[in-house]
Amino acid sequence: MPGYPRGLKAEKSNMISQSEIEEAYDHYSDEIFTFIIRSVHDHDEAEDLLQDVFVKLINYSVKSNVNSVNIRALLYSIARSVCIDTARRTKRVSMEQGDMLMVPDKDPGPEGTFNDGVIDMVNSAINTLGEPEKSIILLRKNGLTYAEISPVLKLSERTLKRKVKSAIEQIRKKLRDEGFFIPGDTGSSDESFNR
Amino acid sequence: MNGHLTDKEIDNYVSGLASGSDSEKVRKHISSCPQCRDIVEALSSVVREERIDSRPGVHIRESVMLQWQRINNEVSGAKTPVKPGIRKSAAWLAAAASVVLAVSVYIITGVIKPAETYQLTLKPVAGEVYINDTPATADTGITAESAVKTGINGIALISADRYTLYIGKSSSVTVSENSVKSGIRFVLNQGELISKSSGGVKYSFRCGDSTVLPSGTEFMLRYQGGSLSVAVLQGKVSVTGPDTKMHIDAGQMWSSEKRNELSALDPAAASMIISGSFDSTAPVREQGNRESKSAGSEVRPRESGGSSDSGITSDERKEMLERARLSRELRQDIIEMKREQRQERKGRNRE
């Protein structure tokens, strides 16, 4: 994050004003909240994390410049790191307790619901992706364009697209492993084609 | 059409890396090939916007604004030149904090009220209850400057519209102010209280040199021998004193004896607040004592007893997170308990 010159900090605090934080909350809390909920899948926990995000933003504003141009990207950046921290912790706790989070076995169902089954599979495959691929995809799902994601993750649009491509490749591999028919995929020649 | 799209073509198309003409080719192909369309559809769903109709509760906004005030107080406090006289600056900080908090509460809840003062009534429940040193009768009206005292076995209620204050035994409470404009100000001179509000009434507490400012909450206060304890079941409570500034969330307890620490709400205290009775014997204090007995100055969550590597900040951080998780779980338990109680009450009312 671009820091404020140290000398300025003592003289003048740039802290976000009450009206600014209210405005920011009213503007962005809903979309940040949906972004968090995509990651933690729990309403109460997402509310706690949402509060954390805004408190972190306030603290950040004490030392660094927060303005209407960078505030949305900042909120997303903070939300992302908060979610990653939480996911790491949850994983650790569940591993300590020996009950790994179970990914429900999705039944692809009868032929008629091919896409429903695939989409369920795709969604559970997203959860297994690494960073930053997972964040990019969750941000895309939250309605952000590549241009909007770029300042959040500090990656160029081209890099973002390449990362998405590698994520898509991974998801396709997962689908293939699950036995889904993928046209044009030479690797699946041993799979059944008689759909 | 002969052949299907290749992996590469699909990936480039879905990720947006494909050139205009390549994208056009894919679009053309999938318009006539249902198999490729299925897979392009499925993979495109990965990066497509997906609406979620979930919204955060309004209380989160309030909490964020409270936190803003807290940080603002800290920042404006830090900006004043710090001289050796720490006590002085701390007192200034506290004064500024209470002014800012009072003003903000005034702003938040300062809606037009029909009456000038809140209608307060005192109901003696058990034992000796005195108002201004005379025995209280049922449903005595309370004005500002009224002092309520309870004996060794005394229990009393002060109630207003959508607000109830339970007064425990051997307690002394003064109503120092009662106006709709600036709220009710209770002074807890000694003893214990359970405060339950369902909104609409503005109120605050003074205990010694600390101010307790709740926002739409159910909580318990205990002030004995100069030591103040707060246990919060619902909502949020801020305690401001000469060298204290704490925000106690639902599911947390705090004691002035360990003024910089929060602990998880004791189930006994929780059930006392829910039932509005002071049956259990001093659970807030018990909790405090247990903490002070534990080795070292740091309070550790009950589960992680073994670890001894203190002083590492990341460890402390993990611990804090762990504690937060525990208190979250407890809060959920409490919510569940309250729901059951509500249903029970409903059932009783019907009878």
Side-chain angles (χ1 to χ4, degrees):
Chain A
M1 305 260 158
Y4 228 64
R6 277 187 178 265
L8 274 174
K9 195 179 123 194
E11 271 97 66
K12 182 179 167 285
S13 156
N14 246 44
M15 185 176 157
I16 191 163
S17 74
Q18 185 161 13
S19 61
E20 281 167 342
I21 189 75
E22 279 173 353
E23 202 184 318
Y25 188 90
D26 295 341
H27 247 84
Y28 300 119
S29 60
D30 283 358
E31 64 172 298
I32 298 293
F33 184 69
T34 56
F35 173 68
I36 296 171
I37 224 166
R38 281 175 213 280
S39 180
V40 300
H41 309 289
D42 177 278
H43 191 275
D44 286 355
E45 185 162 27
E47 283 187 335
D48 286 355
L49 295 180
L50 179 72
Q51 186 179 331
D52 287 357
V53 168
F54 276 91
V55 171
K56 285 197 159 121
L57 177 83
I58 298 167
N59 279 320
Y60 178 80
S61 78
V62 174
K63 289 178 185 167
S64 305
N65 189 21
V66 174
N67 54 48
S68 57
V69 179
N70 67 3
I71 193 165
R72 185 164 179 246
L74 273 173
L75 282 168
Y76 271 109
S77 291
I78 299 169
R80 174 180 177 242
S81 67
V82 164
C83 286
I84 291 174
D85 280 357
T86 308
R88 210 171 281 152
R89 203 171 63 240
T90 319
K91 200 173 165 190
R92 202 197 63 216
V93 168
S94 61
M95 272 161 76
E96 278 166 5
Q97 294 170 348
D99 58 343
M100 277 295 290
L101 280 171
M102 293 292 288
V103 178
D105 279 332
K106 294 287 183 192
D107 181 4
E111 286 168 47
T113 61
F114 171 77
N115 257 12
D116 295 345
V118 177
I119 286 170
D120 281 349
M121 256 309 300
V122 164
N123 282 333
S124 62
I126 290 170
N127 286 323
T128 65
L129 289 173
E131 287 296 339
E133 287 81 359
K134 189 180 170 188
S135 290
I136 300 170
I137 281 165
L138 294 184
L139 289 163
R140 286 284 298 173
K141 280 192 172 292
N142 220 39
L144 273 73
T145 62
Y146 286 120
E148 288 167 329
I149 298 170
S150 178
V152 175
L153 298 177
K154 312 260 183 299
L155 294 172
S156 74
E157 284 184 51
R158 179 114 194 130
T159 310
L160 290 175
K161 287 176 184 173
R162 271 204 293 272
K163 298 275 181 199
V164 167
K165 189 183 169 187
S166 98
I168 297 282
E169 280 165 4
Q170 290 175 50
I171 291 168
R172 175 207 308 290
K173 191 172 176 301
K174 283 238 153 59
L175 292 182
R176 186 195 298 150
D177 291 348
E178 293 290 321
F180 284 103
F181 169 73
I182 295 177
D185 178 9
T186 49
S188 65
S189 56
D190 52 17
E191 305 283 344
S192 67
F193 274 80
N194 52 356
R195 223 171 49 81
Chain B
M1 191 169 280
N2 281 334
H4 288 298
L5 294 170
T6 64
D7 287 0
K8 206 177 164 189
E9 281 170 329
I10 295 174
D11 294 348
N12 282 339
Y13 174 76
V14 171
S15 60
L17 279 169
S19 67
S21 58
D22 287 348
S23 297
E24 192 46 44
K25 188 188 160 202
V26 172
R27 271 195 288 273
K28 221 170 176 177
H29 179 87
I30 59 175
S31 68
S32 61
C33 174
Q35 287 150 313
C36 286
R37 191 192 308 138
D38 274 352
I39 194 69
V40 169
E41 262 301 295
L43 291 174
S44 296
S45 76
V46 172
V47 288
R48 194 183 302 132
E49 181 173 3
E50 214 173 69
R51 296 224 154 260
I52 294 182
D53 281 334
S54 227
R55 290 224 154 82
V58 281
H59 60 287
I60 304 298
R61 190 183 194 276
E62 286 169 28
S63 308
V64 168
M65 298 315 151
L66 268 172
Q67 293 289 327
W68 179 88
Q69 271 146 17
R70 182 183 62 79
I71 296 163
N72 190 38
N73 292 342
E74 277 168 14
V75 170
S76 44
K79 271 197 322 189
T80 59
V82 180
K83 289 193 172 161
I86 293 165
R87 281 197 146 262
K88 209 172 172 184
S89 74
W92 182 87
L93 204 76
S98 49
V99 167
V100 171
L101 280 174
V103 167
S104 64
V105 164
Y106 174 77
I107 292 165
I108 292 164
T109 57
V111 283
I112 304 138
K113 298 273 166 59
E116 282 285 276
T117 59
Y118 291 107
Q119 185 104 38
L120 292 175
T121 39
L122 175 69
K123 290 190 187 102
V125 177
E128 315 86 38
V129 178
Y130 301 94
I131 178 160
N132 298 328
D133 296 324
T134 55
T137 52
D139 296 335
T140 314
I142 294 187
T143 53
E145 295 306 323
S146 292
V148 178
K149 281 181 188 160
T150 54
I152 302 167
N153 298 314
I155 290 174
L157 290 182
I158 293 181
S159 54
D161 184 29
R162 293 158 76 193
Y163 180 72
T164 312
L165 183 69
Y166 300 78
I167 305 170
K169 59 192 182 215
S170 307
S171 301
S172 160
V173 180
T174 314
V175 180
S176 72
E177 204 177 327
N178 177 8
S179 78
V180 171
K181 212 172 162 192
S182 51
I184 311 168
R185 196 157 173 83
F186 296 104
V187 178
L188 176 60
N189 305 305
Q190 168 78 23
E192 50 192 9
L193 299 175
I194 292 173
S195 168
K196 290 193 182 195
S197 162
S198 35
V201 176
K202 252 192 301 182
Y203 59 101
S204 63
F205 295 89
R206 183 97 198 150
C207 304
D209 48 12
S210 299
T211 302
V212 177
L213 197 71
S215 51
T217 50
E218 296 190 8
F219 65 98
M220 182 154 111
L221 280 186
R222 183 172 282 133
Y223 185 58
Q224 272 157 350
S227 147
L228 174 66
S229 314
V230 185
V232 183
L233 180 69
Q234 195 184 68
K236 203 176 188 98
V237 173
S238 313
V239 180
T240 318
D243 41 11
T244 311
K245 207 173 333 130
M246 282 308 277
H247 296 271
I248 304 141
D249 285 318
Q252 290 182 328
M253 303 208 306
W254 171 87
S255 161
S256 61
E257 285 172 1
K258 295 218 151 221
R259 57 182 64 245
N260 295 320
E261 286 165 17
L262 289 170
S263 54
L265 181 60
D266 195 297
S271 70
M272 280 163 80
I273 301 170
I274 291 168
S275 59
S277 71
F278 301 90
D279 279 346
S280 282
T281 48
V284 177
R285 276 198 83 96
E286 269 170 27
Q287 175 79 5
N289 290 345
R290 203 188 308 147
E291 275 169 7
S292 47
K293 263 180 239 160
S294 70
S297 61
E298 211 178 320
V299 181
R300 298 197 173 271
R302 269 150 266 170
E303 265 103 307
S304 64
S307 70
S308 59
D309 42 358
S310 60
I312 300 162
T313 48
S314 73
D315 263 25
E316 283 170 8
R317 202 177 117 77
K318 274 182 207 158
E319 222 168 82
M320 266 165 60
L321 292 168
E322 179 72 359
R323 219 176 300 163
R325 192 183 62 80
L326 287 172
S327 78
R328 210 162 24 229
E329 279 172 10
L330 186 76
R331 216 179 310 161
Q332 269 158 6
D333 286 354
I334 292 165
I335 289 166
E336 192 54 50
M337 224 154 93
K338 282 180 58 144
R339 193 176 301 141
E340 277 168 22
Q341 279 216 334
R342 250 199 315 271
Q343 263 152 14
E344 206 181 298
R345 222 171 9 231
K346 252 188 216 159
R348 236 185 293 140
N349 287 348
R350 249 179 248 129
E351 283 163 30

